[in-house]
Amino acid sequence: MSDAIHVYLQSEPAAEKWGKKASLTPVEQGYQIHFDASQALRSIQKAARQLDTLGIEQVELSGDGWTLDYQWAFYLGFTSAKKLNGVSWQGDDAATLQQLERCYSWSRQLTNQTPEQLSPEVLAQEAIDFLTPLAPDAISHRVIRGEELASEGWVGIHGVGRGSERPPVMLVLDYNPTGKADAPVEAVLVGKGITFDSGGYSIKPSESMSYMKCDMGGAATVAGALGLAILQGLTQRVQLVLCCAENLISGHAYKLGDILTYKNGTTVEILNSDAEGRLVLADGLLYATETGAPLIIDAATLTGAAMVALGNDYNALFSLDTELQQRALGYAEQVKEPTWPLPLAPWHQQQCPSPYADTANSRAMKGGGTGGASNAAGFLSRFVRPDGKGWLHFDLASAFNSSNSALWAAGATGRGIRVIAEVLRQETSKR
């Protein structure tokens, strides 16, 4: 990176001539970032964002003070949908940062692809192609397509995806580094892979539909997290389940008033075809529960309600297992990935009633009504162990930005990868 701009850290405020709040000032070989120690990560990320807007392509982090977290905050601000590299890492943390960059750049690039490029089958294949080279002797997979889903009882993925000419798929990828075919599955990651979400017959307005290529962000996040955990030395058997479909309108699309009967006998009336994410995740959670894995983590760009509650700064975390949830929040703090708990209790299962089925998939009102994120989590809790032990649900409110902000370029952020990888590593290492 001989042509790279050097960037230094400076804890002292900028000289008055640059303005009282200047966070970025020029020096002989590049720029220095004046960061506020009380909110260092945000101020460094904001300054990096400014450097990107100047059109700078390559930087070298120089001088003292560049901790792993500071370097990573810079990367997140400096990179964009058009530029997912360009940072030269510094010090002993370089190898770890390269691992993070590899997984985040893959996940973000995938999420930013156009809906035409990324069909359900392509999404599944991209995950296979990313993960298999990381541990070629330890990874196998199965892809269940189209009508095979219906014949095997995966009614949620099939029902949501049948309106598209491009078939829905369920990817089951098995990472088994033990070499033992009968090794227990210690964890299952489940990701929502809606490669485009029109809303179906509950059609979205254009301003909401325009960025619905991001609705497979949960699948990209859990696949990226598994990749990161593998690179960091994961030694336990873990499976990945991606629930992939396009939610489109056609003569074959599922309709309001339809009832789906899941493999566990739960009947679900469709009151909102735009509440499709929970329908496909239900299949993935049922599969995960069937494995007997003591840890199940799902991730999804599931509800606008989580974004209303938390903005774009935090991902929401739900669980009926309060001890596990508290540990997960601790892991999130360790890796500096903002995560916030939202309410979930057993009675949330009853918040979407139906006179015709065990439950509806939503309530027949805008956004699913009040408490929408908790109600969606309550719906999902029907498809894991009755007490919810060992289950975490991430509603990825901060996984994607539809426009540029002071912290982020427009597009996927990758937020969620580090914390899920950390939960995976820490919890499975206890067994």
Side-chain angles (χ1 to χ4, degrees), residues 162-247:
R162 74 187 197 204
S164 172
E165 293 181 356
R166 303 198 287 188
V169 304
M170 175 191 276
L171 168 66
V172 179
L173 184 141
D174 189 1
Y175 169 69
N176 185 5
T178 70
K180 300 175 182 177
D182 59 351
V185 178
E186 297 294 348
V188 181
L189 302 179
V190 181
K192 173 186 172 184
I194 301 297
T195 56
F196 187 71
D197 182 17
S198 72
Y201 281 107
S202 305
I203 192 168
K204 292 177 180 290
S206 293
E207 60 270 20
S208 299
M209 201 191 303
S210 62
Y211 53 88
M212 277 298 105
K213 63 184 180 182
C214 79
D215 217 17
M216 39 61 64
T221 298
V222 292
L226 178 56
L228 181 58
I230 291 171
L231 290 171
Q232 293 175 337
L234 181 66
T235 60
Q236 302 296 316
R237 186 178 185 182
V238 174
Q239 293 192 347
L240 173 75
V241 181
L242 301 188
C243 309
C244 309
E246 287 182 314
N247 187 21

Side-chain angles (χ1 to χ4, degrees), residues 11 71 102 107 121 170 173 180 186 258 267 270 274 289 343 387 415:
S11 59
Q71 291 186 70
R102 182 175 182 176
S107 177
E121 288 183 293
M170 175 191 276
L173 184 141
K180 300 175 182 177
E186 297 294 348
D258 282 349
T267 56
I270 307 304
D274 195 23
T289 303
D387 61 0
R415 277 275 177 88

Side-chain angles (χ1 to χ4, degrees), residues 57-116:
E57 292 294 325
Q58 294 183 332
V59 299
E60 184 172 335
L61 305 181
S62 305
D64 298 328
W66 285 106
T67 67
L68 184 150
D69 288 331
Y70 287 1
Q71 291 186 70
W72 189 241
F74 183 93
Y75 169 85
L76 294 177
F78 182 70
T79 51
S80 67
K82 295 180 180 179
K83 181 189 67 188
L84 288 168
N85 50 33
V87 180
S88 179
W89 306 113
Q90 185 197 80
D92 295 338
D93 295 317
T96 300
L97 288 160
Q98 287 167 2
Q99 292 173 349
L100 288 171
E101 181 180 7
R102 182 175 182 176
C103 296
Y104 272 71
S105 61
W106 175 82
S107 177
R108 293 170 72 187
Q109 184 272 335
L110 190 70
T111 306
N112 289 333
Q113 282 192 27
T114 71
E116 184 61 26

Side-chain angles (χ1 to χ4, degrees), residues 173-407:
L173 184 141
D174 189 1
Y175 169 69
N176 185 5
T178 70
K180 300 175 182 177
D182 59 351
V185 178
E186 297 294 348
V188 181
L189 302 179
V190 181
K192 173 186 172 184
I194 301 297
T195 56
F196 187 71
D197 182 17
S198 72
Y201 281 107
S202 305
I203 192 168
K204 292 177 180 290
S206 293
E207 60 270 20
S208 299
M209 201 191 303
S210 62
Y211 53 88
M212 277 298 105
K213 63 184 180 182
C214 79
D215 217 17
M216 39 61 64
T221 298
V222 292
L226 178 56
L228 181 58
I230 291 171
L231 290 171
Q232 293 175 337
L234 181 66
T235 60
Q236 302 296 316
R237 186 178 185 182
V238 174
Q239 293 192 347
L240 173 75
V241 181
L242 301 188
C243 309
C244 309
E246 287 182 314
N247 187 21
L248 300 182
I249 298 170
S250 75
H252 298 290
Y254 74 132
K255 306 169 186 67
L256 279 68
D258 282 349
I259 293 178
L260 302 179
T261 302
Y262 281 84
K263 292 182 77 170
N264 67 348
T266 300
T267 56
V268 178
E269 182 187 8
I270 307 304
L271 290 185
N272 183 352
S273 63
D274 195 23
E276 85 298 328
R278 65 200 72 179
L279 297 175
V280 302
L281 285 176
D283 280 338
L285 292 173
L286 283 171
Y287 174 88
T289 303
E290 288 178 358
T291 69
L295 177 64
I296 298 172
I297 305 171
D298 78 73
T301 49
L302 199 63
T303 67
M307 297 177 67
V308 171
L310 302 178
N312 293 111
D313 296 309
Y314 291 81
N315 286 327
L317 178 62
F318 298 85
S319 185
L320 292 169
D321 187 336
T322 55
E323 292 183 2
L324 175 61
Q325 183 182 49
Q326 287 303 309
R327 293 198 300 272
L329 291 169
Y331 303 144
E333 178 60 29
Q334 289 175 27
V335 299
K336 301 297 185 289
E337 202 151 64
T339 308
W340 200 259
L342 288 181
L344 177 61
W347 55 264
H348 279 107
Q349 288 188 359
Q350 312 304 323
Q351 290 299 97
C352 298
S354 166
Y356 307 106
D358 295 326
T359 183
N361 72 324
S362 184
R363 285 187 279 174
M365 55 186 70
K366 183 176 176 60
T370 57
S374 294
N375 298 340
F379 176 91
L380 294 178
S381 73
R382 291 174 175 271
F383 301 94
V384 295
R385 287 178 282 272
D387 61 0
K389 188 159 183 66
W391 169 57
L392 295 171
H393 162 53
F394 286 85
D395 195 332
L396 300 175
S398 69
F400 190 88
N401 294 296
S402 57
S403 59
N404 294 321
S405 72
L407 284 171

